[in-house]
Every structure is written in structure tokens, then in C-alpha cells.
Amino acid sequence: MKIAVVGTGYVGLVTGTCFAEMGTEVHCIDIDTAKIDQLKEGVIPIYEPGLEEMVVRNYKAGRLNFSTDLESVLDEVEIVFSAVGTPPDEDGSADLKYVLEVARTIGRNMRNYLLIVTKSTVPVGTSRRVKAVIQEELEKRGADIPFDVASNPEFLKEGDAVQDFMSPDRVVVGTESERARELIHRLYKPFMLTNYRMIFTDISSAEMIKYAANAMLATRISFMNDIANLCELVGANVNMVRKGIGSDTRIGSKFLYPGCGYGGSCFPKDVKALIRTAEKNGYDMKVLKAVEAVNEKQKEILFDKLNRHFNGDLKGKTIALWGLSFKPETDDMREAPSLVLVNQLLEAGAQVKAYDPIAVPEARRRVGENGDRVVFTEDSYGAVMGADALVLVTEWKEFRMPNWEILKRLLRTPVIVDGRNIYNREDIDKWGFTYYGIGQ
Ligand SMILES: NC(=O)c1ccc[n+]([C@@H]2O[C@H](COP(=O)([O-])OP(=O)(O)OC[C@H]3O[C@@H](n4cnc5c(N)ncnc54)[C@H](O)[C@@H]3O)[C@@H](O)[C@H]2O)c1
């Protein structure tokens, strides 16, 4: 089978590569010429464990191709996946200009039957709009070419994307055509040999499933952040509360970790987009509005703790940050809590020394050096040297077991703010640090 995947970002590159790994011939398309040139050289534009080897292997085997020219591959393929970005527009709705642009290109150039599958996260009704745009373009050409649309939302997690794609919990496909269903079933079958996990739905439900899933996960996080903040006020420990409620099988233990707020390219924008979708339909998503508000506030919690510790005077203080990406195992800094913290520290007159195992180039691009007030270091201890406090922002594995003795020696004052509750207060107390966790 031959397919095209349009948009070669986190989702498109993983999708195309994993399909190629199963033997499908894949054309990965992007408008970003530099990205495509790099990929042809075996340089991966993102950090995603396991992806690079797979890209190189499949590219060399000739199953994975990279191009900027969607038109030229349309005659060869049966399915086109659209995995372009859907960033929020000014009012928080998903901006569909890239999705509709891809549909227009397809409508203008297709000559044989195609199944067009939307993999981007898009509001309910988008696949219908994609269908209408293609139909309109075909009519302009006076062409009568059959095609189908389907919605196949993606649930991969950055940092674990290859594993998630190769062995998905489920594959959701919304389609209203038997031909489309048969094609997509054939494409995904190699991923389902031991356990069939495909869920076929109507198109609107598939589109909604993606938003509802992310909204539910974001809700759990904000709920736990609220509980953690209350724990601090009443003298309870959220780590124990989490264990106590997570062992209830109706609740389950995942996504119950409080922290410094969720970030990334998905939860913030998808929660916003779902709220807007509801508003456009005359419905008020009260729970999700609260989820969003709690998250915005939670992103300020690390600064608040530091500020309180230093009695509101952070001017001239040097603060070390461990971790900048929005979560471990990715270089993605979209909506990362670290960005909020860096801004607040700079506004308060502090200096920042930051280290991240992977995301420093991306961080440098986003925050710059701010006239030497942000310094990025080559290793974790370099960031701590001479700092007045250490803040753990992203829980990369290499931060989990630091050498407390060295840390104690390097910090000017032994203060640790643990934004992810990865340290054990008793261990740290032994070394004489002042420790602040979340909800403890
Ligand atoms: N990142 C995730 O973890 C994740 C997970 C599930 C779903 N999603 C959804 O998948 C979609 C893509 O997300 P992403 O993180 O991969 O985005 P991304 O920004 O990393 O990649 C999007 C790519 O599309 C390209 N593009 C834009 N317009 C194009 C066009 N007309 N033709 C060809 N290429 C074009 C861009 O150059 C870019 O490389 C979004 O809707 C997102 O919400 C993302």
C-alpha cells in the first residue's frame, strides 16, 4: 500500500515512519523545505526517543520518502493523512487554515480515488468541511472523482511516541464509507495482530473523542493541583492522598500527579478549543473553564514559593532551573511552565541559570539570553553553581538521584523547590536543605 502523510512534525513524522516500518510505502510531505532537506540527510528536527534510527532505516530501505510536493505523489497513493498543525487562533478556536489548505491542494490535483484522513486534532465538523472543500475544487475543475474522508485522531505521547504508535491502546477511526473503512483497516492491521483494538465510529464522534480524552486528562491534572494546594493549607500530604485515591480502581493511578501545571502543544490548546466549540454551540463548559484557570495559576506556583522564601525580594538572586521542556523525553517547549517561571524571575530582577538535557537550543530560541540574565549550562551541576536556589521544573531521569553533597556545596543557599515532587523530603532534610514540594 502507498500513502502520503502531510505535515512532518511530531505527529506526521512518527505516523509516516511507523507505517513505513510495517512495510507501507510512505511519502512524508511538508511545506518547510529546510525540514525536508534535513530529513533527507537523516537529521531529525525533533527529539523523540527511537525515532531517528527508524527514520534512517526506512529512508534507506526506500519505504520512507520526503518531499515538499504533495501534488506529485497524489497519483501514486490511496490514502492521504493530514497531520498539519492546528494552532489556536486569537479566540482560542483551532485554526484550520493548514488543514483546509491541504484539502484544497488535494481537490485541485487528485486524479484517482483517494481516502483523505484527518489526523490533526480538529473540532467536530472539520472532516465535513474538508470534504466540502475538496468537492468544491473538483467541481471547479469539472472533475468527477470519487473520494472519502475519515477522522483518525492521534493519541501518541511525545517522549513515548514511537511506542504509542507501534502499540496503541486503541485506534479510533470515524468514517461513513465502507471503502474507507476497509482501506484503513488494512493499513492498521499489522499493528493489531495480537489484539484488535480498532474502534470505528461516525466522523463527528471520532473528532470529539480526541478532545474529550485530552480534556479529561487535563481535568485530572488541574483537579490534583487544586487538591495539592489545599493539602498545603490544611497540613495533608498530596503524595499520600494520591496513593490513597489512585488505588481505587474506579479512579486509577495515572494522571494524578500534581505539579507546576500542564503545558505542551495539546492540552492547553485543546481545552481552549473545546470551550470555544461549546460556546459556538451555545453551551458553557464550566468544568473546563475552571481546569484552564487552575492551570494558569499553577504555572505561577514555583515563582510564588521562591518569592515567599526570599520575602518578596528576588532582585539580584540567581535561580537555577533543572528542566525546561514541558515534560521529560522531548524538546517541545510549547506552553512549558518553565517559560512562565523564567519570565516571572526576570521581571523580579533575578538571574536564571538553566539546564535541560535536550531542550536548551529550543529554549535559547524562545527566551534568548536576555542580556546575559539567562545562562544555559552544559550540565546540571553547572546551573547550580553559586545559585541561591534550585528549582526542579521538568522531571528528567537524570535529576532523580542528584548528589546532595555536591549540590549543598555548589548552592549559595541550600533551597530546593521541587515542582514535580520527585524528591523525598526526609532525604533532603538530612542534608540541611530547605525543601518546598507541591502539596506537601
Ligand atoms: N504533538 C503531539 O503530541 C500531538 C499528539 C496528538 C495530536 N496532535 C495534533 O496533531 C497535529 C499536528 O501536531 P504536531 O505537534 O505534529 O505539529 P507540528 O507543528 O510539529 O507539525 C506540523 C507540520 O505541518 C507542516 N505544515 C503546515 N502546513 C502545511 C501544508 N500546507 N503542507 C504540508 N505541511 C504543512 C508544518 O510545516 C509542520 O512541520 C495538531 O493538530 C495537534 O494538535 C499532536
Side-chain angles (χ1 to χ4, degrees), residues 103 126-136 147-149 176:
T126 303
S127 295
R128 272 180 227 296
R129 283 179 71 186
V130 165
K131 188 173 183 177
V133 167
I134 296 174
Q135 192 59 48
E136 192 185 303
F147 70 96
D148 286 307
V149 294
E176 280 142 23

Side-chain angles (χ1 to χ4, degrees), residues 88-163:
D89 65 14
E90 311 83 63
D91 75 348
S93 309
D95 185 343
L96 297 176
K97 66 171 178 277
Y98 304 117
V99 172
L100 298 178
E101 201 176 295
V102 171
R104 211 159 284 123
T105 306
I106 293 171
R108 282 182 190 152
N109 296 284
M110 65 187 282
R111 291 194 296 184
N112 310 313
Y113 170 86
L114 279 178
L115 166 60
I116 296 96
V117 184
T118 303
K119 204 168 231 331
S120 308
T121 303
V122 291
V124 174
T126 303
S127 295
R128 272 180 227 296
R129 283 179 71 186
V130 165
K131 188 173 183 177
V133 167
I134 296 174
Q135 192 59 48
E136 192 185 303
E137 291 299 333
L138 288 174
E139 277 163 19
K140 278 190 208 159
R141 288 160 57 195
D144 184 15
I145 305 167
F147 70 96
D148 286 307
V149 294
S151 161
N152 170 218
E154 182 51 56
F155 300 99
L156 61 78
K157 300 184 288 299
E158 285 177 23
D160 219 359
V162 172
Q163 167 66 19

Side-chain angles (χ1 to χ4, degrees), residues 428-439:
I428 292 185
D429 280 351
K430 272 199 298 233
W431 288 96
F433 290 95
T434 304
Y435 174 77
Y436 299 97
I438 305 285

Side-chain angles (χ1 to χ4, degrees), residues 5-13 29-32 35 46 68 70 82-87 97-99 101-102 105 119-122 153-158 161 210-211 214 265-266 269-270 326-327 332 334:
V5 179
V6 189
T8 312
Y10 284 89
V11 169
L13 185 58
I29 311 289
D30 207 287
I31 40 167
D32 185 337
K35 199 179 256 190
I46 53 171
T68 52
L70 175 60
S82 180
V84 294
T86 47
K97 66 171 178 277
Y98 304 117
V99 172
E101 201 176 295
V102 171
T105 306
K119 204 168 231 331
S120 308
T121 303
V122 291
E154 182 51 56
F155 300 99
L156 61 78
K157 300 184 288 299
E158 285 177 23
K210 174 65 193 175
Y211 280 102
N214 276 357
S265 67
C266 294
K269 96 173 158 56
D270 295 349
F326 87 92
K327 67 172 182 177
D332 199 340
R334 289 178 277 189

Side-chain angles (χ1 to χ4, degrees), residues 318-321 351-355 373 375-377 382-387:
T318 300
I319 308 299
L321 265 52
Q351 305 260 355
V352 175
K353 281 176 89 182
Y355 168 75
R373 288 180 58 211
V375 174
F376 297 102
T377 62
V384 175
M385 204 179 296

